[in-house]
Amino acid sequence: MAGVIPQKVLSEQLGDVIGGRRVKTAVFTTFSFNPGFFELDVLPSLFDQTFHQIEKVRRLQLEEALREVREIAVYYDRSALSQDAMPAHLDFSRIDVSRGKQGGGVFHPKLVLLLVAEPFEEENGEDSDLEYETLIVGTLSANLTRSGWWENVEAGHFEEVRDKDLADEPCPFRKDLLDTIRQVRASAPDGEDHQALDRVHAFVRSRVAAPQADRRWRNNRFLTRIFVGQQPLPQWLRSNRIGTDWNLEIISPFFDHRCSLLLDELYEVLRPRETRIYLPRTPQGEAAIDRDIYQAIVDEAAFHIRWAELSGQVTAPSNAKAKDARPRRVHAKVYRLWNNEGRQVVLVGSVNFTHAAHSHARAGNLEAAFLTDLSTQDVSQRWWLQPLEKEPSVFVDSNPAEDDGLDQAFVDLSVRYNWAEHRLDVRVLDQVEGAIRLETTGGQSLAQIDKPAIGEWMSLSSDASDRVRDLLRSTSFVRAVHDGGTWQVLVREVGMSHRPSLLTDLTAEEILMYWSLLSPEQREQFLIDKLMREGQLDLQGIVTSRSNRYLTQDTLFDRFAGVYHAFERLKNHLIKCIDEEAYAEARAKLFGAKFDSLPQLLEKTIEHNPDPVMRYITLLCACQLADRIRQDASEFWEQSATARDGLEQQLAKLADLEDCLLPDDPQREAFLGWYRDVFLREVEGAVEA
């Protein structure tokens, strides 16, 4: 049975789909969200590199890798933060949404939208300088949580949408993609920043070919579509001319008391020969539905409908040999249509067997699922579900729901902290009576909101900003308290290039060394050595070298040669980032507060290096670098006006440093003026080594 159903580890499948291509933009949507798990165990799948298993090293590697991605955003239902959620520390947009004004229901799609760079291959087989983009689209049943990606039995499907100049055929679900983006955007308040989603939308609108006619078939196969609540599910299936006389299998972890009516509606459209429905189980083996729902399906026996179960080989945990090992929870949502003539069509995504999931998006949940034809793929034409051998004897008292155990938000409240401007903002979307207090998760007061401006961001006091800034160094959660209840809020962090790095105490010498290292492996070992020397790394039995292989006996990385080499490496890296439109990485390196940024180097050099000559040379190199970027990337420089203020203030200290040089030499001013002009002058016609 296990061989009948295609199976893969979700994170490995995502990595295989990306296939080593560079991810430029990423959008994830989820119902329940664990931000710490997402950044440590999902984000690494986006990169073609190995990340260290030690959490501190992994975060530092990810902090640097994320700068190469233009935008990453996660949309999640603000009432569905995982109760065991770990805090976030890295630079991705966290956008909390609600479906309250879209007809009720919850924000429930589990989407993956990735724009990846696609090198264009010339006819002679060589890669050209021309680069296209490809959109990877995935619909999943898995939330961005540990259980969703590591523990449950989940389901998902990925498709690639190529640029119209490279695609063999138009994209049959282009309109569905535009509907999906519109629905996600509509779940957020007006004025929300949708940079990542806008990039995906622009690609679909301008670079994806639309079919000339509204076709449902091609080469005797159903064309792939995306269900996002355009119509109630049965009507949508009818509009896609799915036809009748199928075997129908339904896998869903959640049901409601309208499931009998839902079956009648599906039967009218599909007229299945036989229907088998997966019976969800609790970890103890009980039926995870109440007796009324179970009996309602049993009473549909005239329509050849039966409760069924998955093979134990599918649900077996990885540690199945352990004495106390229990079957994995089945959280997959699959509707499978197949027949003995070789036809096979599946709907895979987030759609539970509930009225809210089957409804029009304006009247229920927002869902997302691919409808795809697997008839030509190597998937066996056999039942995935086997009828129950015996009726369950124990049922739950109350029917489980998707939001059980989640932290309900009693007020539509968002909290945002801007690192670049040191500003704490809050936004309340609905009229509320009484004050809202912000506290640490331990109960210490952070701020009080007496009269929130409804629907707009409102800045709080500088004292509140100070308290939240200090809190964010250790956690990204605050607690909101209102007369209606208490709940957890994930703080949105923006201006992240100005957030203090996870590694804050590199010396100026070590920053220059880090710029100079050539390979990811060298940089990883550098970070491990650094953390080991400071006693910040518990290696847990992992063997690694303690040698200070990157340290030299002389100061400041062999003095002048080290400085020149490091700045040349940084300049080349910045130019490459700007050419590839990796602006976040360029701004972080050039203007930010991360451990390897230019402002960090200058601050530590000016304040801690006792050698006035080395301070002066380092600042001259920084001025030279800034001049080069200003000339070669003027548009980038102008667009970074706010971000570069701090760097320009540091560069202005060059005159102060000159005052410390040759204080008793009468020709001092003329010499330093000549030296500065010659140093900053770009040499033309240099011969390549």
Side-chain angles (χ1 to χ4, degrees):
M1 178 66 186
V4 175
I5 305 176
Q7 297 181 72
K8 280 191 175 182
V9 176
L10 181 52
S11 55
E12 293 179 359
Q13 174 67 10
L14 179 57
D16 290 345
V17 171
I18 295 172
R21 292 172 291 186
R22 178 170 56 88
V23 175
K24 301 176 70 173
T25 298
V27 176
F28 293 82
T29 70
T30 184
F31 175 60
S32 182
F33 185 37
N34 183 335
F37 174 81
F38 169 74
E39 69 179 22
L40 278 175
D41 296 290
V42 178
L43 283 180
S45 303
L46 304 185
F47 303 98
D48 187 23
Q49 71 179 83
T50 301
F51 291 90
H52 207 281
Q53 64 264 50
I54 296 176
E55 181 177 312
K56 289 181 180 178
V57 180
R58 177 180 287 239
R59 283 193 192 276
L60 288 168
Q61 291 176 293
L62 282 165
E63 185 178 56
E64 182 172 8
L66 285 173
R67 301 175 200 163
E68 299 179 6
V69 184
R70 287 185 57 168
E71 305 95 1
I72 297 181
V74 176
Y75 293 78
Y76 66 97
D77 194 300
R78 69 170 58 92
S79 287
L81 275 178
S82 174
Q83 287 190 334
D84 61 350
M86 301 181 295
H89 298 280
L90 300 178
D91 188 4
F92 64 91
S93 296
R94 313 151 196 177
I95 303 175
D96 52 320
V97 300
S98 171
R99 292 283 296 165
K101 295 183 179 179
Q102 282 75 41
V106 298
F107 182 80
H108 199 251
K110 287 84 171 173
L111 287 162
V112 178
L113 304 171
L114 306 177
L115 276 175
V116 299
E118 193 77 54
F120 179 70
E121 192 174 276
E122 300 283 7
E123 293 183 0
N124 59 9
E126 295 183 0
D127 289 344
S128 74
D129 293 334
L130 189 61
E131 185 179 82
Y132 287 88
E133 290 180 334
T134 291
L135 177 64
I136 297 172
V137 183
T139 62
L140 313 176
S141 65
N143 289 302
L144 291 174
T145 61
R146 181 180 300 275
S147 58
W149 280 66
W150 279 10
E151 298 168 3
N152 298 337
V153 176
E154 305 278 2
H157 180 74
F158 290 93
E159 292 278 347
E160 288 199 7
V161 182
R162 305 193 77 193
D163 187 284
K164 60 186 178 183
D165 289 346
L166 302 179
D168 297 327
E169 298 173 335
C171 176
F173 52 91
R174 178 182 181 272
K175 183 177 184 300
D176 301 333
L177 270 174
L178 294 173
D179 285 343
T180 302
I181 294 169
R182 178 179 56 81
Q183 293 278 11
V184 171
R185 188 193 305 275
S187 298
D190 294 339
E192 189 63 80
D193 185 355
H194 297 287
Q195 284 190 32
L197 196 63
D198 288 345
R199 286 268 295 122
V200 175
H201 182 256
F203 173 80
V204 176
R205 280 190 60 86
S206 64
R207 302 307 307 164
V208 176
Q212 294 182 350
D214 187 19
R215 300 172 58 192
R216 297 292 183 266
W217 290 76
R218 183 188 297 136
N219 300 328
N220 201 34
R221 291 185 62 207
F222 288 105
L223 294 174
T224 300
R225 298 292 307 277
I226 302 177
F227 172 72
V228 284
Q230 301 95 326
Q231 299 171 279
L233 180 60
Q235 296 178 27
W236 186 78
L237 291 173
R238 177 182 282 121
S239 70
N240 280 278
R241 299 191 275 279
I242 292 299
T244 60
D245 205 26
W246 299 93
N247 295 312
L248 171 62
E249 293 179 283
I250 299 173
I251 301 174
S252 170
F254 299 108
F255 295 77
D256 63 18
H257 285 93
R258 302 183 67 172
C259 61
S260 180
L261 177 60
L262 299 180
L263 275 175
D264 291 343
E265 293 172 348
L266 284 177
Y267 186 84
E268 281 297 314
V269 174
L270 303 173
R271 298 285 175 178
R273 303 169 185 171
E274 181 180 346
T275 300
R276 297 183 182 181
I277 303 175
Y278 171 75
L279 177 67
R281 301 275 188 175
T282 68
Q284 294 74 30
E286 304 169 347
I289 55 174
D290 62 36
R291 186 178 291 275
D292 290 343
I293 289 180
Y294 180 85
Q295 191 60 45
I297 300 302
V298 171
D299 292 343
E300 298 277 357
F303 291 156
H304 304 288
I305 299 171
R306 291 192 280 181
W307 287 107
E309 59 190 355
L310 281 166
S311 164
Q313 293 177 321
V314 176
T315 60
S318 57
N319 61 341
K321 294 183 179 180
K323 293 182 180 180
D324 59 347
R326 293 174 173 172
R328 290 186 294 158
R329 179 187 180 216
V330 176
H331 191 255
K333 290 96 169 164
V334 180
Y335 297 73
R336 180 182 181 231
L337 300 165
W338 65 281
N339 59 35
N340 294 327
E341 288 73 48
R343 305 297 306 161
Q344 186 161 195
V345 179
V346 295
L347 183 77
V348 181
S350 65
V351 184
N352 285 306
F353 202 66
T354 63
H355 176 72
H358 282 224
S359 297
H360 193 290
R362 290 197 300 268
N365 297 346
L366 178 60
E367 308 282 356
F370 263 122
L371 180 73
T372 186
D373 194 322
L374 302 181
S375 301
T376 61
Q377 297 190 22
D378 186 20
V379 179
S380 298
Q381 300 293 319
R382 295 169 52 189
W383 287 101
W384 290 1
L385 297 172
Q386 302 305 313
L388 295 181
E389 294 183 1
K390 61 179 181 179
E391 180 177 305
S393 57
V394 181
F395 297 85
V396 295
D397 294 330
S398 60
N399 213 41
E402 188 88 36
D403 57 358
D404 287 351
L406 297 176
D407 206 2
Q408 179 185 355
F410 294 93
V411 175
D412 279 337
L413 168 72
S414 301
V415 180
R416 180 178 70 186
Y417 180 77
N418 189 317
W419 285 98
E421 301 176 13
H422 180 41
R423 191 181 69 242
L424 178 65
D425 303 324
V426 296
R427 182 180 62 194
V428 177
L429 297 180
D430 297 321
Q431 293 287 345
V432 293
E433 294 185 2
I436 303 170
R437 298 194 310 279
L438 298 183
E439 301 177 347
T440 69
T441 53
Q444 296 176 322
S445 178
L446 294 169
Q448 179 158 313
I449 311 159
D450 292 316
K451 294 181 179 179
I454 307 304
E456 299 178 357
W457 288 105
M458 180 177 72
S459 296
L460 301 187
S461 69
S462 58
D463 288 343
S465 299
D466 289 342
R467 288 189 285 268
V468 170
R469 176 194 59 200
D470 295 340
L471 179 70
L472 289 174
R473 296 177 187 271
S474 57
T475 182
S476 54
F477 297 112
V478 297
R479 187 168 69 183
V481 182
H482 183 255
D483 292 342
T486 301
W487 69 102
Q488 188 170 242
V489 178
L490 175 64
V491 179
R492 300 189 187 190
E493 297 178 65
V494 298
M496 288 287 278
S497 62
H498 292 267
R499 188 188 200 274
S501 175
L502 301 173
L503 183 63
T504 58
D505 56 353
L506 286 186
T507 65
E509 179 184 15
E510 288 169 327
I511 294 174
L512 289 168
M513 290 178 187
Y514 192 75
W515 290 352
S516 302
L517 298 177
L518 300 177
S519 70
E521 293 76 18
Q522 286 180 318
R523 291 192 287 273
E524 175 184 322
Q525 189 60 50
F526 176 91
L527 295 175
I528 293 174
D529 288 349
K530 173 66 177 176
L531 292 171
M532 286 181 65
R533 288 195 302 274
E534 297 176 351
Q536 296 184 31
L537 201 58
D538 178 8
L539 291 178
Q540 301 174 344
I542 299 170
V543 178
T544 186
S545 169
R546 284 181 175 270
S547 64
N548 296 338
R549 67 185 68 188
Y550 306 111
L551 298 181
T552 62
Q553 298 304 312
D554 202 1
T555 59
L556 209 56
F557 193 42
D558 285 342
R559 312 291 286 178
F560 298 106
V563 174
Y564 300 152
H565 175 65
F567 269 94
E568 182 67 17
R569 293 275 300 162
L570 177 61
K571 180 202 71 176
N572 293 337
H573 178 71
L574 290 171
I575 294 298
K576 180 174 181 289
C577 288
I578 295 168
D579 288 345
E580 296 177 353
E581 299 184 354
Y583 300 130
E585 160 73 341
R587 290 192 179 99
K589 274 279 202 291
L590 194 55
F591 310 124
K594 298 305 181 183
F595 71 92
D596 59 342
S597 69
L598 178 58
Q600 282 287 301
L601 170 77
L602 296 180
E603 177 184 335
K604 292 175 180 181
T605 298
I606 294 170
E607 294 184 4
H608 302 297
N609 194 315
D611 186 339
V613 174
M614 293 310 300
R615 293 201 302 267
Y616 182 58
I617 292 298
T618 303
L619 205 61
L620 274 177
C621 287
C623 291
Q624 186 183 56
L625 174 65
D627 287 345
R628 177 68 183 274
I629 300 300
R630 187 186 295 110
Q631 294 169 14
D632 293 358
S634 57
E635 184 176 353
F636 165 80
W637 186 266
E638 291 303 321
Q639 291 175 351
S640 307
T642 302
R644 70 173 192 259
D645 283 348
L647 175 63
E648 291 179 330
Q649 290 174 14
Q650 289 178 312
L651 298 180
K653 296 179 181 179
L654 183 66
D656 296 336
L657 295 183
E658 287 182 340
D659 290 343
C660 301
L661 300 173
L662 308 173
D664 300 325
D665 193 324
Q667 297 183 344
R668 164 188 168 280
E669 194 168 319
F671 171 75
L672 289 178
W674 167 83
Y675 184 82
R676 181 178 61 250
D677 292 343
V678 171
F679 192 101
L680 297 177
R681 186 183 307 155
E682 185 173 350
V683 178
E684 298 180 0
V687 179
E688 272 194 27

